[in-house]
Amino acid sequence: MLDSLAAKLSGVVADGARVLTAPAVLERLSHDFYWYSPVLRPLLAGKNGDVAVRPVSVDEVLAVLRFAGERGVPVTVRGAGTGNYGQCVPLEGGIVLDLSLMDKLEKITDDGVAVCQPGLRLGVLETEARKQGWELRMYPSTLVKASVGGFLAGGSGGIGSVAHGGLRDFDTVRAFEVVTMEEEPRVVLHEGAAVHEILHAWGTNGVLTRIWFALTPAVEWTQMMAAFDTYEQAFSFTESIAVDTAWTKRLATVFEWPIPSFFTPIKQLVRADKALALIMIATAQAAALHGAAEAAGGEVTFAGAFEGPRTQPLLSDYTWNHTTLWAMKADSAYTYLQCGFSAAECREQFRLLRERYGQEILFHIEFMKNGDGVVIPGAIPVVRFTTEERLNDMIAYCRSIGVFVANPHVNYLEDGGRFRADNIQLLAKQKYDPRGLLNPGKMVSFHKQEVRR
Ligand SMILES: Cc1cc2nc3c(=O)[nH]c(=O)nc-3n(C[C@H](O)[C@H](O)[C@H](O)COP(=O)(O)OP(=O)(O)OC[C@H]3O[C@@H](n4cnc5c(N)ncnc54)[C@H](O)[C@@H]3O)c2cc1C
């Protein structure tokens, strides 16, 4: 039965060699970094697609979706598979639609909008953009591997968000074309506010096949690291840089000790028992930042030019959700949360969390601009996992003291923290995927509809 599915699918794309059935390949293409979560680990292990296909054109995507729709076979889209919550794990088997070969950068327009296919890697786009005087507004710390389509469908923000907000904000995602899973699949252009129907919907309500992604003028950046005696000092210093519009920055991160002790490849830049601030600053302001850090009691342990994604050391490799990876390498009992502290109340929120959980929660702050233009202390705290109940207690307590949590220990959109209250993602699913074949199980408020003929 599965062999015949693969055999028939081979006739749908121009080259049958792009239909993959080897078990080891299917296993690899069916998983992402869901194992970051001790809760998701046992739930998602062993969930594999039955067959994978690598289309090279929108016509092939249309043909695969038509083929799957006719047979009632689920389709789960995959970019580079660097997601964190099992977003691209096919819960009900079926076809894995691997878009990695649709990776063309069509052009960068004169006003700085990249027009590209979804499989284009963000690192390649950053490198090409910089050659033309532009750069990404924001990118995840998985820059080198992650795809543009996967970032839009599964990510939220990252390096650059301190200046440009998240993916949802400030018209960064200008438009895209989406292939639908209707009875007769079609290509639909979404632009302006209509992008929010599909953005961060985990490929549950359409397949992005062409993207208009706004860039920003390139800046010469310096990566800087400074050690401080206390977390409070490191936090206050970094906050002062993050919120002050006079500083041109791309990254403003704080780690309390012992998080820096996990960064083994750059251990010479870390100081024992000290908190660390990590900032990407315009090179023109690097000397001034150096002086400001020292005046605030810090020791600058590193300053070096950012020369693109291949820079070594690439300090963003220790930020955003890479921090969690280093913590888990040091001790597999660590996991994480995704939080947003209140700009005004954060010190009290830190105090309350420390009082209740002690060193079970370690503060890792990523300053980011919200949609209202206010820079807030976002956070990806490192958490010592004991039981699911304890983790849920921490999440509930965070929410009770006004700390926003996007729960990374669930495998469905609604509790992930970025499901839209206006339900437009759900409405788009009802319209574009009424049979519930796209990444089934990930949008739990959706119920399959009878297709009207
Ligand atoms: C170490 C580490 C650090 C990370 N840091 C960050 C960070 O700083 N910021 C952040 O936002 N995320 C971060 N992530 C999560 C992830 O790396 C990013 O969101 C990344 O952009 C996902 O891209 P991808 O190509 O790997 O997507 P995938 O994992 O392949 O897919 C993500 C989701 O999008 C869907 N999808 C993929 N392509 C399409 C498409 N063309 N059309 C429709 N749906 C599609 C998939 O079905 C899946 O649901 C991190 C993850 C790790 C492991």
Side-chain angles (χ1 to χ4, degrees), residues 362-403:
L362 300 174
F363 297 125
H364 159 207
I365 304 297
E366 297 288 352
F367 282 95
M368 60 180 81
K369 191 178 276 180
N370 68 19
D372 298 324
V374 179
V375 174
I376 60 150
I380 312 181
V382 173
V383 170
R384 181 166 281 282
F385 180 76
T386 47
T387 65
E388 192 175 344
E389 290 67 34
R390 183 75 174 163
L391 191 62
N392 287 337
D393 178 82
M394 196 181 276
I395 293 170
Y397 184 67
C398 280
R399 289 174 175 161
S400 76
I401 60 169
V403 177

Short mmCIF file of all heavy atoms in Angstrom, two decimals, residues 362-403:
data_model
loop_
_atom_site.label_atom_id
_atom_site.label_comp_id
_atom_site.label_asym_id
_atom_site.label_seq_id
_atom_site.Cartn_x
_atom_site.Cartn_y
_atom_site.Cartn_z
N LEU A 362 16.83 29.72 35.48
CA LEU A 362 18.01 30.58 35.30
C LEU A 362 17.68 31.62 34.24
O LEU A 362 17.20 31.27 33.15
CB LEU A 362 19.20 29.72 34.86
CG LEU A 362 19.63 28.61 35.82
CD1 LEU A 362 20.73 27.75 35.18
CD2 LEU A 362 20.14 29.20 37.15
N PHE A 363 17.98 32.86 34.55
CA PHE A 363 17.52 33.93 33.66
C PHE A 363 18.42 34.11 32.43
O PHE A 363 19.64 34.29 32.54
CB PHE A 363 17.39 35.24 34.43
CG PHE A 363 16.35 35.15 35.52
CD1 PHE A 363 16.66 35.44 36.84
CD2 PHE A 363 15.06 34.71 35.22
CE1 PHE A 363 15.71 35.32 37.83
CE2 PHE A 363 14.10 34.59 36.21
CZ PHE A 363 14.43 34.90 37.52
N HIS A 364 17.78 34.04 31.29
CA HIS A 364 18.40 34.32 29.98
C HIS A 364 17.45 35.30 29.29
O HIS A 364 16.34 34.92 28.92
CB HIS A 364 18.55 33.01 29.19
CG HIS A 364 18.68 33.22 27.70
ND1 HIS A 364 18.30 32.27 26.78
CD2 HIS A 364 19.15 34.27 26.97
CE1 HIS A 364 18.51 32.73 25.56
NE2 HIS A 364 19.02 33.94 25.65
N ILE A 365 17.89 36.53 29.16
CA ILE A 365 17.04 37.60 28.63
C ILE A 365 17.45 37.93 27.19
O ILE A 365 18.64 38.04 26.89
CB ILE A 365 17.20 38.88 29.50
CG1 ILE A 365 16.88 38.59 30.97
CG2 ILE A 365 16.35 40.02 28.95
CD1 ILE A 365 15.47 38.14 31.26
N GLU A 366 16.45 38.10 26.35
CA GLU A 366 16.66 38.63 24.99
C GLU A 366 15.76 39.85 24.85
O GLU A 366 14.53 39.72 24.78
CB GLU A 366 16.26 37.58 23.92
CG GLU A 366 17.07 36.30 23.93
CD GLU A 366 18.49 36.48 23.40
OE1 GLU A 366 18.81 37.58 22.90
OE2 GLU A 366 19.26 35.53 23.52
N PHE A 367 16.35 41.02 24.82
CA PHE A 367 15.52 42.22 24.65
C PHE A 367 14.96 42.23 23.23
O PHE A 367 15.64 41.90 22.27
CB PHE A 367 16.36 43.48 24.91
CG PHE A 367 16.55 43.73 26.38
CD1 PHE A 367 17.68 43.28 27.03
CD2 PHE A 367 15.57 44.38 27.11
CE1 PHE A 367 17.85 43.47 28.39
CE2 PHE A 367 15.72 44.58 28.48
CZ PHE A 367 16.86 44.12 29.12
N MET A 368 13.68 42.61 23.15
CA MET A 368 13.02 42.66 21.83
C MET A 368 11.97 43.77 21.82
O MET A 368 11.43 44.13 22.87
CB MET A 368 12.36 41.32 21.52
CG MET A 368 11.31 40.90 22.52
SD MET A 368 10.57 39.31 22.10
CE MET A 368 11.78 38.17 22.72
N LYS A 369 11.74 44.28 20.64
CA LYS A 369 10.71 45.33 20.50
C LYS A 369 9.37 44.64 20.27
O LYS A 369 9.29 43.69 19.48
CB LYS A 369 11.07 46.22 19.32
CG LYS A 369 10.24 47.48 19.22
CD LYS A 369 10.70 48.34 18.05
CE LYS A 369 11.88 49.22 18.41
NZ LYS A 369 12.32 50.05 17.29
N ASN A 370 8.33 45.10 20.97
CA ASN A 370 7.01 44.52 20.70
C ASN A 370 6.31 45.31 19.59
O ASN A 370 6.84 46.31 19.08
CB ASN A 370 6.18 44.39 21.98
CG ASN A 370 5.77 45.73 22.57
OD1 ASN A 370 5.77 46.75 21.88
ND2 ASN A 370 5.39 45.73 23.83
N GLY A 371 5.12 44.88 19.25
CA GLY A 371 4.40 45.49 18.12
C GLY A 371 4.01 46.94 18.35
O GLY A 371 3.70 47.67 17.41
N ASP A 372 4.05 47.37 19.64
CA ASP A 372 3.76 48.77 19.95
C ASP A 372 5.03 49.63 19.92
O ASP A 372 5.00 50.81 20.27
CB ASP A 372 3.11 48.90 21.34
CG ASP A 372 1.79 48.16 21.40
OD1 ASP A 372 1.06 48.17 20.38
OD2 ASP A 372 1.48 47.56 22.46
N GLY A 373 6.15 49.00 19.60
CA GLY A 373 7.40 49.74 19.53
C GLY A 373 8.12 49.86 20.87
O GLY A 373 9.11 50.58 20.97
N VAL A 374 7.65 49.12 21.88
CA VAL A 374 8.28 49.19 23.21
C VAL A 374 9.29 48.04 23.33
O VAL A 374 8.95 46.88 23.02
CB VAL A 374 7.22 49.06 24.33
CG1 VAL A 374 7.87 49.10 25.70
CG2 VAL A 374 6.16 50.13 24.18
N VAL A 375 10.50 48.35 23.77
CA VAL A 375 11.50 47.29 23.96
C VAL A 375 11.28 46.64 25.32
O VAL A 375 11.26 47.33 26.35
CB VAL A 375 12.94 47.85 23.84
CG1 VAL A 375 13.97 46.77 24.19
CG2 VAL A 375 13.19 48.38 22.43
N ILE A 376 11.07 45.33 25.32
CA ILE A 376 10.77 44.61 26.56
C ILE A 376 11.79 43.49 26.78
O ILE A 376 12.42 43.03 25.83
CB ILE A 376 9.34 43.99 26.54
CG1 ILE A 376 9.23 42.99 25.36
CG2 ILE A 376 8.27 45.06 26.43
CD1 ILE A 376 8.26 41.87 25.63
N PRO A 377 11.93 43.05 28.04
CA PRO A 377 12.81 41.90 28.26
C PRO A 377 12.10 40.60 27.92
O PRO A 377 11.36 40.04 28.73
CB PRO A 377 13.14 41.98 29.76
CG PRO A 377 12.27 43.04 30.36
CD PRO A 377 11.39 43.60 29.30
N GLY A 378 12.27 40.14 26.69
CA GLY A 378 11.85 38.78 26.36
C GLY A 378 12.82 37.83 27.04
O GLY A 378 13.89 38.26 27.50
N ALA A 379 12.46 36.58 27.13
CA ALA A 379 13.36 35.67 27.85
C ALA A 379 13.17 34.24 27.38
O ALA A 379 12.07 33.83 27.02
CB ALA A 379 13.10 35.75 29.35
N ILE A 380 14.28 33.52 27.38
CA ILE A 380 14.21 32.07 27.15
C ILE A 380 14.94 31.44 28.34
O ILE A 380 16.08 30.97 28.22
CB ILE A 380 14.84 31.68 25.80
CG1 ILE A 380 14.31 32.59 24.68
CG2 ILE A 380 14.56 30.21 25.49
CD1 ILE A 380 14.85 32.29 23.29
N PRO A 381 14.30 31.48 29.52
CA PRO A 381 14.98 30.98 30.70
C PRO A 381 15.31 29.49 30.59
O PRO A 381 14.56 28.73 29.99
CB PRO A 381 13.98 31.23 31.84
CG PRO A 381 12.66 31.41 31.18
CD PRO A 381 12.93 31.94 29.81
N VAL A 382 16.43 29.14 31.15
CA VAL A 382 16.83 27.73 31.23
C VAL A 382 16.17 27.18 32.50
O VAL A 382 16.26 27.79 33.56
CB VAL A 382 18.36 27.61 31.31
CG1 VAL A 382 18.78 26.18 31.58
CG2 VAL A 382 19.00 28.14 30.02
N VAL A 383 15.50 26.04 32.34
CA VAL A 383 14.71 25.49 33.45
C VAL A 383 15.18 24.07 33.75
O VAL A 383 15.35 23.27 32.82
CB VAL A 383 13.21 25.49 33.07
CG1 VAL A 383 12.39 24.72 34.09
CG2 VAL A 383 12.69 26.91 32.92
N ARG A 384 15.36 23.77 35.02
CA ARG A 384 15.72 22.40 35.39
C ARG A 384 14.43 21.58 35.49
O ARG A 384 13.56 21.88 36.30
CB ARG A 384 16.47 22.39 36.73
CG ARG A 384 16.89 21.01 37.17
CD ARG A 384 17.90 21.08 38.29
NE ARG A 384 19.24 21.38 37.80
CZ ARG A 384 20.04 20.48 37.22
NH1 ARG A 384 19.65 19.24 37.07
NH2 ARG A 384 21.24 20.81 36.81
N PHE A 385 14.35 20.56 34.65
CA PHE A 385 13.12 19.77 34.58
C PHE A 385 13.13 18.66 35.63
O PHE A 385 14.10 17.92 35.76
CB PHE A 385 12.99 19.14 33.19
CG PHE A 385 11.76 18.30 33.02
CD1 PHE A 385 10.51 18.88 32.85
CD2 PHE A 385 11.83 16.91 33.06
CE1 PHE A 385 9.36 18.11 32.70
CE2 PHE A 385 10.69 16.13 32.92
CZ PHE A 385 9.45 16.73 32.74
N THR A 386 12.01 18.57 36.36
CA THR A 386 11.84 17.42 37.25
C THR A 386 10.60 16.64 36.81
O THR A 386 10.71 15.50 36.36
CB THR A 386 11.73 17.85 38.73
OG1 THR A 386 10.79 18.94 38.84
CG2 THR A 386 13.07 18.24 39.29
N THR A 387 9.44 17.30 36.87
CA THR A 387 8.21 16.63 36.40
C THR A 387 7.40 17.61 35.55
O THR A 387 7.57 18.83 35.64
CB THR A 387 7.31 16.20 37.59
OG1 THR A 387 6.87 17.40 38.26
CG2 THR A 387 8.03 15.28 38.55
N GLU A 388 6.47 17.05 34.77
CA GLU A 388 5.60 17.87 33.94
C GLU A 388 4.73 18.77 34.83
O GLU A 388 4.47 19.92 34.49
CB GLU A 388 4.72 16.96 33.07
CG GLU A 388 4.00 17.70 31.98
CD GLU A 388 3.22 16.77 31.05
OE1 GLU A 388 3.48 15.55 31.04
OE2 GLU A 388 2.34 17.29 30.34
N GLU A 389 4.32 18.23 35.98
CA GLU A 389 3.47 19.00 36.90
C GLU A 389 4.23 20.24 37.38
O GLU A 389 3.69 21.33 37.44
CB GLU A 389 3.07 18.15 38.12
CG GLU A 389 2.09 17.03 37.83
CD GLU A 389 2.68 15.91 36.96
OE1 GLU A 389 3.91 15.63 37.09
OE2 GLU A 389 1.94 15.34 36.15
N ARG A 390 5.50 20.03 37.72
CA ARG A 390 6.30 21.16 38.21
C ARG A 390 6.49 22.20 37.10
O ARG A 390 6.41 23.41 37.35
CB ARG A 390 7.67 20.61 38.68
CG ARG A 390 8.59 21.63 39.28
CD ARG A 390 8.18 22.04 40.66
NE ARG A 390 9.17 22.92 41.27
CZ ARG A 390 8.92 23.67 42.32
NH1 ARG A 390 7.74 23.64 42.90
NH2 ARG A 390 9.86 24.45 42.83
N LEU A 391 6.70 21.73 35.89
CA LEU A 391 6.88 22.64 34.76
C LEU A 391 5.58 23.44 34.53
O LEU A 391 5.61 24.66 34.34
CB LEU A 391 7.21 21.83 33.50
CG LEU A 391 7.69 22.57 32.27
CD1 LEU A 391 8.99 23.32 32.54
CD2 LEU A 391 7.89 21.59 31.10
N ASN A 392 4.45 22.75 34.59
CA ASN A 392 3.16 23.43 34.40
C ASN A 392 2.88 24.41 35.54
O ASN A 392 2.29 25.47 35.33
CB ASN A 392 2.03 22.41 34.27
CG ASN A 392 2.08 21.72 32.93
OD1 ASN A 392 2.64 22.25 31.97
ND2 ASN A 392 1.53 20.51 32.85
N ASP A 393 3.34 24.05 36.74
CA ASP A 393 3.20 24.96 37.87
C ASP A 393 3.99 26.25 37.60
O ASP A 393 3.50 27.36 37.84
CB ASP A 393 3.73 24.27 39.14
CG ASP A 393 3.66 25.18 40.35
OD1 ASP A 393 2.57 25.26 40.94
OD2 ASP A 393 4.68 25.83 40.69
N MET A 394 5.19 26.09 37.06
CA MET A 394 6.02 27.26 36.76
C MET A 394 5.36 28.14 35.69
O MET A 394 5.34 29.37 35.79
CB MET A 394 7.41 26.79 36.30
CG MET A 394 8.47 27.86 36.33
SD MET A 394 10.06 27.24 35.75
CE MET A 394 10.72 26.48 37.21
N ILE A 395 4.81 27.49 34.67
CA ILE A 395 4.15 28.25 33.60
C ILE A 395 2.95 29.01 34.17
O ILE A 395 2.77 30.21 33.91
CB ILE A 395 3.71 27.29 32.46
CG1 ILE A 395 4.94 26.73 31.75
CG2 ILE A 395 2.80 28.01 31.45
CD1 ILE A 395 4.65 25.59 30.78
N ALA A 396 2.15 28.31 34.98
CA ALA A 396 0.96 28.95 35.56
C ALA A 396 1.37 30.10 36.48
O ALA A 396 0.74 31.17 36.49
CB ALA A 396 0.13 27.92 36.32
N TYR A 397 2.44 29.89 37.25
CA TYR A 397 2.87 30.94 38.17
C TYR A 397 3.38 32.15 37.38
O TYR A 397 3.06 33.30 37.72
CB TYR A 397 3.95 30.41 39.12
CG TYR A 397 4.34 31.43 40.16
CD1 TYR A 397 3.43 31.82 41.14
CD2 TYR A 397 5.59 32.05 40.13
CE1 TYR A 397 3.77 32.79 42.08
CE2 TYR A 397 5.94 33.02 41.06
CZ TYR A 397 5.03 33.38 42.03
OH TYR A 397 5.35 34.35 42.95
N CYS A 398 4.15 31.89 36.34
CA CYS A 398 4.62 33.01 35.49
C CYS A 398 3.42 33.83 35.03
O CYS A 398 3.40 35.06 35.17
CB CYS A 398 5.36 32.47 34.26
SG CYS A 398 7.05 31.98 34.56
N ARG A 399 2.42 33.15 34.50
CA ARG A 399 1.25 33.87 33.97
C ARG A 399 0.54 34.62 35.08
O ARG A 399 0.04 35.72 34.87
CB ARG A 399 0.32 32.87 33.25
CG ARG A 399 0.94 32.39 31.93
CD ARG A 399 0.13 31.29 31.26
NE ARG A 399 0.69 30.96 29.94
CZ ARG A 399 0.44 29.84 29.29
NH1 ARG A 399 -0.36 28.92 29.80
NH2 ARG A 399 1.00 29.62 28.12
N SER A 400 0.52 34.04 36.30
CA SER A 400 -0.21 34.69 37.40
C SER A 400 0.48 35.98 37.86
O SER A 400 -0.16 36.83 38.46
CB SER A 400 -0.36 33.72 38.58
OG SER A 400 0.87 33.61 39.27
N ILE A 401 1.79 36.10 37.59
CA ILE A 401 2.49 37.33 37.99
C ILE A 401 2.74 38.24 36.78
O ILE A 401 3.58 39.14 36.82
CB ILE A 401 3.80 37.03 38.75
CG1 ILE A 401 4.78 36.22 37.88
CG2 ILE A 401 3.51 36.32 40.08
CD1 ILE A 401 6.19 36.12 38.46
N GLY A 402 2.02 37.97 35.69
CA GLY A 402 2.09 38.88 34.53
C GLY A 402 3.21 38.59 33.56
O GLY A 402 3.52 39.42 32.70
N VAL A 403 3.86 37.42 33.69
CA VAL A 403 4.90 37.05 32.72
C VAL A 403 4.23 36.24 31.61
O VAL A 403 3.62 35.20 31.87
CB VAL A 403 6.01 36.21 33.40
CG1 VAL A 403 7.04 35.76 32.37
CG2 VAL A 403 6.68 36.99 34.52
#
